[in-house]
């Protein structure tokens, strides 16, 4: 079981908006200053940074992707869904109780 | 341009020791704040952080695997080596190395190498 909890799957039609949640605890996401990062993993490829520091997009990532953090949870929102967004998405943070970096269980996004 | 690439055996037998090498370019592991870590992903499953080594040789390990892991660096060769002892079929996974520079973010990843544990 992953320390950070994500829904196994989400889906949406092209053009729609989907939200992927990442639920943690007071020893990881809930710690002030502990950032949440999001990675996109296209089939057969390595993960790529999608959102870093809770809300920041690397250059080249469309502004259709946005991140937020509140309390012990974080969310990734994708608007204007496109077929190319079909991928697995992972959240990641640091856990002070475990003293290690932790990932969510991953969410498979299907574009209908 | 920052690149990382993993290398090592594709097949190991149960109980054997796995040695993986991460060869990187475009940054230096002697620069303050920089680290290189290892993350693995069993087929069809989630990412799992394994180990990380910092520029100052500070080493961190996954609590659940600490007794089996060793991470070292060779700054002159731009390489980081991970060894994992007593391999088991459940350790079958794609192993990635990745750079960490700030905010606990793994910002650049290698392409990964699939390691199968089977007799």
């Amino acid at each position: 079981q992953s320390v950070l909890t994500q829904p196994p799957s989400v889906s949406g039609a092209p053009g729609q908006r989907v939200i992927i949640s990442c639920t943690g605890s007071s020893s990881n996401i809930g710690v002030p200053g502990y950032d949440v990062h999001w990675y996109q993993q296209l089939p057969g490829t390595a993960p790529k940074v999608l959102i870093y520091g809770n809300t920041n997009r690397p250059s080249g990532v469309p502004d259709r992707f946005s991140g937020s953090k509140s309390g012990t949870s974080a969310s990734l929102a994708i608007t204007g869904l496109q077929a190319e967004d079909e991928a697995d998405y992972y959240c990641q943070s640091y856990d002070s109780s475990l003293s290690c970096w932790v990932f969510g269980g991953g969410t498979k996004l299907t574009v209908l | 341009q920052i690149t990382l690439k993993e290398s090592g055996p594709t097949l190991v037998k149960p109980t054997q020791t796995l040695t993986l090498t991460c060869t990187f370019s475009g940054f230096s592991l002697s620069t303050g704040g920089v680290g290189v870590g290892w993350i693995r992903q069993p087929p069809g499953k989630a990412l799992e952080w394994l180990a990380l080594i910092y520029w100052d040789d500070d080493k961190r390990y996954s609590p659940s695997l600490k007794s089996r892991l060793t991470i070292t660096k060779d700054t002159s060769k731009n390489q980081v080596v991970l060894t994992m002892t007593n391999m088991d079929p459940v350790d079958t996974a794609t192993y990635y190395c990745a750079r960490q520079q700030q905010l606990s973010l793994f910002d650049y990843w290698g392409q990964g190498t699939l390691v199968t544990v089977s007799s």
Side-chain angles (χ1 to χ4, degrees):
Chain A
Q1 305 289 21
S2 300
V3 173
L4 304 180
T5 301
Q6 299 180 234
S9 63
V10 297
S11 63
Q16 285 190 332
R17 177 177 184 253
V18 296
I19 295 177
I20 299 173
S21 61
C22 175
T23 302
S25 69
S26 58
S27 63
N28 42 67
I29 295 176
V31 177
Y34 279 22
D35 289 315
V36 176
H37 315 297
W38 291 91
Y39 302 87
Q40 178 192 57
Q41 187 176 33
L42 297 169
T45 68
K48 178 191 92 167
V49 178
L50 194 64
I51 298 288
Y52 68 94
N54 306 315
T55 61
N56 303 290
R57 283 187 312 276
S59 60
V61 172
D63 60 6
R64 302 186 294 104
F65 296 89
S66 63
S68 64
K69 173 186 163 181
S70 179
T72 59
S73 295
S75 294
L76 172 70
I78 310 172
T79 59
L81 269 181
Q82 299 181 5
E84 66 203 49
D85 298 334
E86 209 165 82
D88 293 325
Y89 294 84
Y90 293 90
C91 58
Q92 178 245 312
S93 188
Y94 184 81
D95 191 283
S96 59
S97 294
L98 298 173
S99 295
C100 72
W101 290 272
V102 290
F103 288 90
T107 298
K108 182 176 181 58
L109 169 63
T110 300
V111 181
L112 302 171
Chain B
Q1 182 188 4
I2 292 174
T3 64
L4 302 96
K5 187 172 184 178
E6 307 84 354
S7 59
T10 59
L11 179 66
V12 298
K13 290 179 167 47
T15 76
Q16 286 187 336
T17 294
L18 171 68
T19 299
L20 294 173
T21 300
C22 175
T23 303
F24 56 87
S25 63
F27 68 96
S28 173
L29 200 39
S30 59
T31 300
V34 175
V36 172
W38 287 91
I39 300 106
R40 71 177 179 180
Q41 184 174 37
K45 296 189 177 181
L47 301 166
E48 177 186 20
W49 173 75
L50 301 176
L52 186 138
I53 188 164
Y54 284 111
W55 84 101
D56 60 357
D57 211 38
D58 182 16
K59 301 167 186 176
R60 309 291 177 89
Y61 296 102
S62 166
S64 61
L65 293 167
K66 184 174 184 177
S67 64
R68 299 174 52 205
L69 297 173
T70 302
I71 190 169
T72 61
K73 64 180 175 69
D74 186 330
T75 305
S76 65
K77 291 184 178 180
N78 282 350
Q79 290 182 333
V80 171
V81 175
L82 179 76
T83 60
M84 180 180 291
T85 61
N86 194 24
M87 293 292 285
D88 183 272
V90 300
D91 296 314
T92 293
T94 296
Y95 287 75
Y96 296 98
C97 63
R99 187 185 81 157
Q100 186 189 92
Q101 188 175 30
Q102 61 177 349
L103 301 176
S104 77
L105 172 71
F106 294 102
D107 57 357
Y108 290 90
W109 294 61
Q111 64 189 25
T113 185
L114 175 61
V115 178
T116 302
V117 184
S118 174
S119 55

